[in-house]
Amino acid sequence: MRLRNKPWAEGYIKEHTAIVEQTPYDRKGSWNSIFEKQQPIALEIGTGKGRFIEGMAIKNSDLNFIGIERDKNVIVSAIEKIKEQQLTNAKLMHENAQDLRDMFAENEVDRIYLNFSDPWPKTRHEKRRLTFHTFLEQYKSVLHDEGQIIMKTDNRKLFEYSLVSFSQFGMKLEDVTLDLHALEDETNVMTEYEEKFSNKGQPIYRCIASFK
């Protein structure tokens, strides 16, 4: 679905320097300095309108959350949510991150969330999938040794592809769930997409993987 253009979005993003890090490439190795507390960092790639990062930050005050979103028209909604809740453990960046290693030092991140990423179904677009091995190399570099990747999707083919990709990379599959909501996991925070698909009866797939 095509998103409505918000011509005021860029200005809004630049106004909220307390929430949106304006120079993320300069923060490499010192991300915890922008938070009130020094604590483990969780990174969400593709934050969208921010429902997930808002809910997770509320439930997990012992973690610092950073959300990456490239679309200015949706990140403004995430800014509004964080602002309204006055969350001090959630920050955003408006970036189309090509390589996380340009923004994060080795072992700087404790957890990476991949929520309903674009499946890029065509074979010629395989390299764009966020679980392609070149992305896994990035994640391995910035994650702590005991760090985790937590992936959720409604796309069965992407999920199966990702499980194979994780395994071929030598990763450990700590948890594989074919119907997340059937578990009634109270720790799960739904994204906007997740609620939409779940309401239609679509199963939600989740995998937790690590490099150790």
Side-chain angles (χ1 to χ4, degrees):
M1 182 178 68
R2 187 176 179 85
L3 293 168
R4 181 171 60 87
N5 182 52
K6 299 175 181 176
W8 50 268
E10 286 192 21
Y12 189 80
I13 291 167
K14 292 177 180 178
E15 287 173 7
H16 289 82
T17 56
I19 297 174
V20 185
E21 175 53 49
Q22 306 294 317
T23 57
Y25 293 93
D26 295 336
R27 287 295 177 190
K28 182 176 179 177
S30 62
W31 277 99
N32 249 324
S33 66
I34 69 173
F35 293 95
E36 284 191 357
K37 297 179 181 179
Q38 301 281 305
Q39 48 195 20
I41 291 175
L43 176 65
E44 183 189 16
I45 302 176
T47 296
K49 294 182 179 180
R51 177 176 175 177
F52 180 81
I53 197 170
E54 174 196 23
M56 290 296 288
I58 291 171
K59 281 192 169 188
N60 301 274
S61 59
D62 58 338
L63 293 175
N64 289 332
F65 290 87
I66 300 171
I68 301 177
E69 177 53 55
R70 65 182 180 180
D71 192 324
K72 66 179 182 180
N73 298 304
V74 295
I75 196 174
V76 292
S77 296
I79 296 171
E80 290 170 356
K81 288 180 174 67
I82 292 172
K83 182 179 178 180
E84 182 179 349
Q85 296 293 339
Q86 299 182 342
L87 297 171
T88 59
N89 64 328
K91 305 291 183 181
L92 302 170
M93 67 171 89
H94 178 223
E95 286 291 332
N96 183 8
Q98 298 297 318
D99 195 325
L100 295 179
R101 292 168 293 195
D102 293 333
M103 292 184 288
F104 295 92
E106 289 186 10
N107 306 317
E108 191 169 15
V109 178
D110 292 81
R111 197 176 298 171
I112 292 175
Y113 290 97
L114 304 176
N115 291 321
F116 300 87
S117 307
D118 193 326
W120 294 105
K122 295 181 180 179
T123 302
R124 69 175 184 270
H125 293 150
E126 180 186 9
K127 293 182 180 179
R128 299 184 185 183
R129 298 171 193 162
L130 293 184
T131 51
F132 187 64
H133 69 85
T134 55
F135 286 103
L136 299 184
E137 289 168 2
Q138 296 181 35
Y139 306 154
K140 184 177 182 180
S141 177
V142 302
L143 275 172
H144 274 300
D145 289 342
E146 303 300 324
Q148 296 176 319
I149 295 174
I150 303 175
M151 174 193 179
K152 290 196 291 186
T153 183
D154 67 303
N155 190 291
R156 179 73 180 236
K157 289 185 177 180
L158 176 63
F159 190 66
E160 292 173 348
Y161 170 88
S162 300
L163 294 181
V164 172
S165 184
F166 292 151
S167 297
Q168 289 180 340
F169 202 82
M171 297 177 67
K172 177 183 178 183
L173 302 179
E174 298 183 6
D175 179 77
V176 176
T177 302
L178 300 180
D179 191 351
L180 175 59
H181 293 174
L183 298 179
E184 298 183 355
D185 184 350
E186 294 182 357
T187 66
N188 182 55
V189 172
M190 286 199 289
T191 73
E192 290 87 356
Y193 279 116
E194 184 173 352
E195 182 176 43
K196 174 184 175 182
F197 295 137
S198 181
N199 287 342
K200 291 181 178 181
Q202 170 70 45
I204 304 302
Y205 310 109
R206 183 183 68 184
C207 176
I208 302 175
S210 65
F211 292 97
K212 285 287 186 179

